[in-house]
């Protein structure tokens, strides 16, 4: 919501509660990243969106990348903010340490958003989501994302390393990296204005090119 408020009046933006998350009910069972991508594409098609720009933060970037790779004719561009999961940090002890360290640094404002979300989702879904994010191999998907792609990373992100986001950008055929000084992993909460600025510039360039 902080990001949507920052985008208001700049570009048309929607926040999507994917099946089983937020206020959206689950169709039954736990959905993998690929299934969430299919649900996102179904949502955009139902609203007859013309090649929208899809934005995902953290695990959401994995969903967005999958959607773009699966339906290149239906997705115009993508923004991958703090893309997970760093292949060099998949081991549970390291990944867990990075998550805890990052959460401690992000501060109370981010906890005020994340804790209620985790509580509503329940322990089982949260843990399965973390496991799904860890198991999904986004590095194998990125080369198939043919659309213009923006990778956004904060220099204080303790979950995604600089080396990883640079590699992710190189893997994208049309990728570009924007670095936000002093920002953390949950960019839509910790740096919504800076992220909105990057999105506005990126979307504006796409519109001018068309």
């Amino acid at each position: 919501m902080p990001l949507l408020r920052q985008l208001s009046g700049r570009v048309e933006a929607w926040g999507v509660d994917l099946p089983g998350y937020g206020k959206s009910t689950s169709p039954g069972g736990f959905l993998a990243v690929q299934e969430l991508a299919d649900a996102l594409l179904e949502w955009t098609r139902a609203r007859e969106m013309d090649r929208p720009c899809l934005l995902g933060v953290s695990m959401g970037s994995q969903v967005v990348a999958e959607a773009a790779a699966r339906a290149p004719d239906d997705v115009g561009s993508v923004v991958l903010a703090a893309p997970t999961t760093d292949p060099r940090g998949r081991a549970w002890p390291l990944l867990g340490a990075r998550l805890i360290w990052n959460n401690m640094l992000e501060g109370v404002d981010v906890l005020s958003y994340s804790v209620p979300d985790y509580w509503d989702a329940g322990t089982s879904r949260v843990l399965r989501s973390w496991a799904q994010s860890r198991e999904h191999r986004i590095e194998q998907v990125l080369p198939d994302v043919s659309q213009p792609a923006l990778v956004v990373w904060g220099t204080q992100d303790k979950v995604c390393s600089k080396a990883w986001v640079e590699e992710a950008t190189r893997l994208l055929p049309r990728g570009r990296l924007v670095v936000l000084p002093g920002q953390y992993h949950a960019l839509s909460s910790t740096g919504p204005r800076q992220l909105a600025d990057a999105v506005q510039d990126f979307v504006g360039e796409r519109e001018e090119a068309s």
Side-chain angles (χ1 to χ4, degrees):
M1 293 309 298
L3 177 60
L4 287 179
R5 285 192 286 269
Q6 287 293 331
L7 288 171
S8 179
R10 306 201 210 185
V11 297
E12 181 179 352
W14 296 74
V16 184
D17 284 345
L18 294 174
Y21 295 86
K23 303 299 181 181
S24 181
T25 58
S26 174
F30 182 82
L31 299 185
V33 167
Q34 295 86 343
E35 295 171 305
L36 292 172
D38 288 338
L40 177 59
L41 289 168
E42 183 180 350
W43 187 89
T44 62
R45 290 165 182 156
R47 282 150 186 79
E48 299 181 345
M49 293 184 171
D50 182 20
R51 293 177 58 79
C53 174
L54 301 182
L55 181 152
V57 181
S58 193
M59 180 179 168
S61 65
Q62 296 172 265
V63 176
V64 164
E66 280 282 355
R70 286 167 173 258
D73 292 335
D74 293 338
V75 178
S77 58
V78 296
V79 177
L80 310 179
T84 49
T85 295
D86 186 343
R88 301 176 186 85
R90 280 200 174 102
W92 273 121
L94 178 57
L95 181 58
R98 285 184 174 186
L99 287 167
I100 293 171
W101 186 19
N102 187 81
N103 287 342
M104 290 174 61
L105 293 175
E106 283 179 336
V108 176
D109 288 344
V110 175
L111 289 176
S112 68
Y113 289 101
S114 60
V115 170
D117 286 343
Y118 289 151
W119 180 266
D120 290 342
T123 303
S124 176
R125 181 170 294 278
V126 169
L127 293 178
R128 293 181 72 181
S129 295
W130 286 348
Q132 178 62 205
S133 177
R134 174 180 176 269
E135 293 164 7
H136 178 260
R137 297 300 192 256
I138 189 175
E139 68 273 16
Q140 297 176 7
V141 178
L142 297 179
D144 295 326
V145 177
S146 58
Q147 301 91 329
L150 182 69
V151 178
V152 187
W153 176 72
T155 58
Q156 295 302 311
D157 188 336
K158 306 307 178 185
V159 178
C160 300
S161 67
K162 180 182 179 183
W164 159 236
V165 293
E166 290 176 342
E167 179 184 349
T169 305
R170 286 193 297 269
L171 289 171
L172 290 159
R174 303 171 68 183
R176 186 205 311 172
L177 174 63
V178 169
V179 175
L180 302 182
Q183 295 303 322
Y184 296 89
H185 185 68
L187 288 172
S188 54
S189 298
T190 64
R193 181 180 59 79
Q194 294 89 336
L195 180 55
D197 290 343
V199 171
Q200 183 181 17
D201 290 345
F202 178 64
V203 172
E205 290 175 5
R206 305 275 69 77
E207 293 176 348
E208 290 176 5
S210 63

